[in-house]
Amino acid sequence: TAAHGRVESCVLALGPDGVRRVAPGLRPEERQVADAERALDDRPWWLRTYSAYGDDADAALVTVGFRVRPVPELGAGRSQDGEVLFGSATCADRPAAFTLHIPPGYRAVLGDARVAELFTAYATEAAQRRGCTGLKLPGAAGQAG
């Protein structure tokens, strides 16, 4: 039934030991926070993916320009607070929405470029697996549309 489900979600959690292994391997230009320990204290480290298809795609909402709007209407971008990357596509002639939720502590250490790479990989795989077309991903500036 997974190939026909209207909603998919997954959480990737990284514990303190994992953070300590990842952070030192990042290039200086990738690290926005030099102290991974501080990021651990600020927020939990997890990423949550969410895909919605058909009628459920319009229920995937993000705040952009201080307004809450459906992902398919916006196309692609980042939420107002930068903690949600989103994209859209068409699957079987119906809208699809893809989101990646990132707590600030995780984003601060990995950096926006690395998080964007993770989202691109996730959304591309999900769209291909479902036979979707017209995948829209956030641009370099991360703005909606």
Side-chain angles (χ1 to χ4, degrees):
T1 62
H4 303 289
R6 294 187 337 194
V7 174
E8 299 173 351
S9 186
C10 182
V11 173
L12 168 65
L14 189 60
D17 291 341
V19 173
R20 289 182 189 100
R21 282 193 306 270
V22 169
L26 299 175
R27 296 186 309 266
E29 63 272 15
E30 292 175 315
R31 289 180 66 129
Q32 294 178 339
V33 170
D35 185 2
E37 294 293 328
R38 185 172 149 229
L40 278 171
D41 292 340
D42 290 343
R43 299 274 178 122
W45 279 51
W46 57 265
L47 298 174
R48 182 173 63 92
T49 64
Y50 180 81
S51 300
Y53 304 90
D55 293 340
D56 290 317
D58 284 332
L61 305 173
V62 292
T63 302
V64 174
F66 301 103
R67 289 184 43 214
V68 177
R69 296 170 55 194
V71 167
E73 175 188 312
L74 292 166
R78 267 186 199 271
S79 63
Q80 191 72 33
D81 60 10
E83 294 178 15
V84 179
L85 273 72
F86 60 92
S88 62
T90 301
C91 304
D93 296 324
R94 304 293 312 275
F98 307 100
T99 62
L100 177 67
H101 301 255
I102 318 111
Y106 196 96
R107 197 172 114 226
V109 172
L110 286 184
D112 288 336
R114 180 67 57 93
V115 170
E117 289 175 20
L118 291 170
F119 177 69
T120 296
Y122 154 70
T124 300
E125 187 279 330
Q128 288 175 347
R129 184 168 29 86
R130 290 288 191 119
C132 302
T133 60
L135 178 62
K136 295 177 185 165
L137 297 168
Q143 301 300 313

